[in-house]
Amino acid sequence: MAERLPTLIVGGGIGGLATALALARCGRPVHVVEKSPEFGELGAGLQLAPNAMAVLDRLGVVGALAAHAVHPRRLVWMDALSAERITEIDLGEAFRRRYCQPYIVMHRGDLLAVLLEACRQERLITLEPGREIAAIEDLGDAACARAVDGRSYEAELLIGADGLHSAVRPLISDDALVFDGLVAYRGTIPIERMSAHAGLDNVVMWVGPEMHFVQYPIRRAELYNQVAVFRSRRYTPDSDDWGTPEELDAHYAQTCDYVRGSLTLMWRDKHWPMVDRKPLASWVRNRIALIGDAAHPMYQYIAQGACQAIEDALALAVSVARSSGDVVKALAAYDALRTRRAARVQLTARAMGALFHLDGVAAAMRNEMMAARAGDDYAPLDWLYGYRL
Ligand SMILES: Cc1cc2nc3c(=O)[nH]c(=O)nc-3n(C[C@H](O)[C@H](O)[C@H](O)COP(=O)(O)OP(=O)(O)OC[C@H]3O[C@@H](n4cnc5c(N)ncnc54)[C@H](O)[C@@H]3O)c2cc1C
């Protein structure tokens, strides 16, 4: 017998828990299944821009986040070869006034812990870790999810918040992940081990030929987060033997002393192929909808994957609240609110990668043009950071 539920969320990452909270705050009971034995996050740093902070504020968790957040002073672009400053965005008072929210950086585990605690305090949310969903069926007037251990659930509304390799997405699209030969190494170190070349209180983005290197402080500035990305020349679609630590070192050999020195502090035991997908025209089928990376996986180059998942959460809850119990109508409204915006963010992340990774004359032109912009020229960012539901 299937367990009957008003709402089932498959996946308890940042997107799934934010959605559970948003729906419960609107009065809807939610059950979350998560395949890992514990709710938690892999990886380290996360940047949260004002568009996501505005949602987290509405969900009532900004106070709890404050204990873990770092408020960087600037987003700085540096040339990874010449060590010259290219441009910056001032994240100070004028930025906060414009967007009515700060730009923060934090440990992603701390964000998940805050969301988890808020979910545990919500009587309308039940959390079930250690339950992996193997198959989803669209029954028309309900959605059925079957776990690997045979347990099944029948839900009036089913949300696929199960990330990049979503088990729910195949019901909506048969598209494939897009690999581009790019790979990321990431990790944290105690902040005392870093020298303050580009400012330890900034988010610093070193850009260079087919590579970029991101650095920022997290966890009350006790830790320093680093992400090194490069394009592997050994990439082929039918092999896993690419993006090795040796290739990382060889690719970064061209960079300035500071970047090469910082790279020696990186973890080498694990690396992540960078993938995205082409935007979909719809994330909905009857009573089933996708959110977060299951709906719109994107390159992390403009630090918006989780921010968009958080925007999805509120959009879904608002759509459900406005549809007087009509789930199909609610999901159509959610689709209309979200797909075009997330597609623009996905495509912008790709385009930004192309800009980071330029070489030679094209890189010199990029640097010259960007040097001309003022640190408080926020207008081009309004569509992204100023978005509110
Ligand atoms: C290097 C890097 C840096 C990034 N930096 C940023 C940043 O600074 N800012 C930003 O906004 N974004 C950033 N992102 C993107 C961000 O991490 C993701 O977009 C975000 O985590 C997506 O959240 P999600 O909840 O949709 O998916 P996930 O985090 O993937 O969560 C999915 C959850 O579903 C569970 N699950 C999967 N399958 C099943 C199943 N079958 N049954 C049950 N449970 C299941 C998983 O265990 C997981 O807990 C970065 C990404 C990378 C790779």
Side-chain angles (χ1 to χ4, degrees), residues 9-17 33-36 39-41 45-49 52 103 108 131-134 161-167 184-186 216 227 229 272-274 291-300 302-310:
I9 297 182
V10 181
I14 292 166
L17 292 189
V33 284
E34 162 57 43
K35 73 174 177 187
S36 305
F39 289 88
E41 272 284 318
L46 194 71
Q47 305 175 47
L48 289 174
Y103 194 106
R108 58 177 61 225
R131 186 77 66 199
E132 179 174 358
I133 298 302
D162 49 347
L164 208 52
H165 305 283
S166 168
Y185 283 74
R186 49 191 194 176
Y216 54 86
V227 182
V229 175
W272 285 263
M274 298 282 86
I291 67 133
D293 276 8
H296 47 67
M298 62 184 72
Y299 288 126
Q300 82 277 13
I302 54 170
Q304 277 287 321
C307 294
Q308 291 303 302
I310 290 166

Side-chain angles (χ1 to χ4, degrees), residues 9-22 31-36 38-42 46 56 59 108-117 119 125 127-129 131 159-164 291-294 305-307 309-310 313:
I9 297 182
V10 181
I14 292 166
L17 292 189
T19 304
L21 205 52
H31 187 80
V32 184
V33 284
E34 162 57 43
K35 73 174 177 187
S36 305
E38 305 281 345
F39 289 88
E41 272 284 318
L42 282 179
L46 194 71
L56 294 167
L59 296 181
R108 58 177 61 225
D110 294 339
L111 171 61
L112 198 93
V114 165
L115 291 172
L116 186 59
E117 184 51 31
C119 285
I125 299 176
L127 299 166
E128 191 182 0
R131 186 77 66 199
I159 309 300
D162 49 347
L164 208 52
I291 67 133
D293 276 8
C307 294
I310 290 166

Side-chain angles (χ1 to χ4, degrees), residues 115-198:
L115 291 172
L116 186 59
E117 184 51 31
C119 285
R120 285 187 173 134
Q121 300 296 326
E122 252 303 340
R123 66 180 174 80
L124 292 175
I125 299 176
T126 47
L127 299 166
E128 191 182 0
R131 186 77 66 199
E132 179 174 358
I133 298 302
I136 311 286
E137 203 183 338
D138 177 10
L139 306 175
D141 58 353
C144 181
R146 209 181 55 255
V148 288
D149 61 2
R151 190 181 175 116
S152 62
Y153 306 83
E154 202 175 292
E156 189 196 359
L157 167 61
L158 186 144
I159 309 300
D162 49 347
L164 208 52
H165 305 283
S166 168
V168 183
R169 187 172 171 116
L171 255 84
I172 292 166
S173 168
D174 61 0
D175 68 341
L177 288 170
V178 180
F179 288 80
D180 224 1
L182 289 152
V183 63
Y185 283 74
R186 49 191 194 176
T188 56
I189 44 171
I191 203 155
E192 317 74 77
R193 294 187 62 192
M194 293 305 303
S195 66
H197 184 86

